[in-house]
Amino acid sequence: LSKSHFTQYRISQTFVINNGTGTSNHKDYEKWQPNIPGSQSKTSMGPEIIKKIIEAGTHAPSGDNVQPWEFGVTDSALFLFNIPEREHPFYSINGNGSLVAHGMLLENIIIAASEFGYRAAYELFPTTKRPHCVAKVTFKKTERIAPDPLYMLISKRATNRRSFEKKPLSPDEEADILRAPKSVGAGAIALLQDRASIDAMANAVSTNEIIAL
């Protein structure tokens, strides 16, 4: 695809830019040409499906809700771009917070793709020429993937700012939480049960907020 073809598609399908609110002047985005290996293969996915997948992706949380992402679409792939200018310094030290947000964006995209019968595969930082291009996502239609039940919950996710109930977790709840890292093959979870440990953690988090803000 030529740069002009890519730009024309981008402008005519404005949903692929900045949550569908308009076009972008971000330098890496404007200069991007999707000429990396494999970018010429076709996909059967129509614009309405990719729009729904992108919309699901943008429900991902980000520090101070800055949503530091923009999107580019070609006939073969979806490209994710980080926008450093939107980063909140308290929530994204050295840009790490924004990369965490992009990880959650990718997870939503993978979940949403399964709803429409597509398996999503991604390549992180697909080109050194465009350092703000965080990922290239390709989609393959398959009957071997089941819709992820979390898709219906993506749009319902919200931050609970109410006071929590001071009651212990049930054994089943504890087991589900502790099993979570195994389901993704990485990470670990530690649960603080005694009041002294909980108070110490609460004090540390509170102190961090005071220092940061």
Side-chain angles (χ1 to χ4, degrees):
L1 293 175
S2 66
K3 179 181 178 182
S4 61
H5 187 134
F6 179 66
T7 304
Q8 181 181 6
Y9 184 86
R10 174 177 59 79
I11 292 174
S12 65
Q13 303 288 352
T14 55
F15 61 80
V16 303
I17 312 296
N18 190 18
N19 282 345
T21 59
T23 58
S24 165
N25 61 1
H26 186 261
K27 58 183 180 180
D28 270 357
Y29 189 83
E30 293 295 330
K31 295 178 181 179
W32 172 258
Q33 296 184 48
N35 57 1
I36 60 177
S39 66
Q40 305 305 314
S41 59
K42 300 290 184 178
T43 178
S44 60
M45 182 180 293
E48 287 306 311
I49 293 179
I50 192 65
K51 179 179 179 179
K52 290 178 180 179
I53 290 174
I54 290 174
E55 287 176 345
T58 59
H59 281 282
S62 57
D64 210 27
N65 197 32
V66 297
Q67 302 181 38
W69 42 64
E70 289 180 340
F71 308 90
V73 174
T74 71
D75 287 340
S76 62
L78 168 65
F79 295 90
L80 280 53
F81 295 85
N82 184 44
I83 311 301
E85 294 86 352
R86 294 187 195 157
E87 294 177 351
H88 193 300
F90 294 131
Y91 295 98
S92 189
I93 304 301
N94 296 324
N96 291 334
S98 290
L99 294 181
V100 171
H102 275 271
M104 291 181 280
L105 169 68
L106 268 174
E107 182 172 12
N108 278 6
I109 287 172
I110 293 170
I111 291 171
S114 72
E115 175 70 13
F116 303 99
Y118 287 86
R119 187 180 304 279
Y122 61 87
E123 179 183 357
L124 299 179
F125 303 101
T127 173
T128 56
K129 295 180 180 180
R130 299 289 178 259
H132 295 305
C133 183
V134 174
K136 168 194 172 186
V137 187
T138 55
F139 303 93
K140 181 178 181 181
K141 187 71 173 177
T142 176
E143 297 180 355
R144 297 182 178 181
I145 187 168
D148 193 314
L150 291 178
Y151 174 73
M152 302 304 296
L153 301 176
I154 288 177
S155 61
K156 298 179 181 180
R157 184 199 63 81
T159 300
N160 182 2
R161 302 187 184 279
R162 301 175 181 176
S163 297
F164 294 107
E165 296 181 30
K166 295 183 178 180
K167 65 178 183 180
L169 297 172
S170 70
D172 287 342
E173 289 170 334
E174 284 188 27
D176 286 342
I177 292 172
L178 293 174
R179 277 197 301 266
K182 293 182 179 179
S183 67
V184 296
I189 293 177
L191 296 178
L192 302 180
Q193 303 277 14
D194 62 283
R195 177 48 56 185
S197 297
I198 294 173
D199 289 344
M201 178 61 72
N203 183 62
V205 172
S206 176
T207 302
N208 176 73
E209 292 291 312
I210 293 172
I211 294 173
L213 303 177

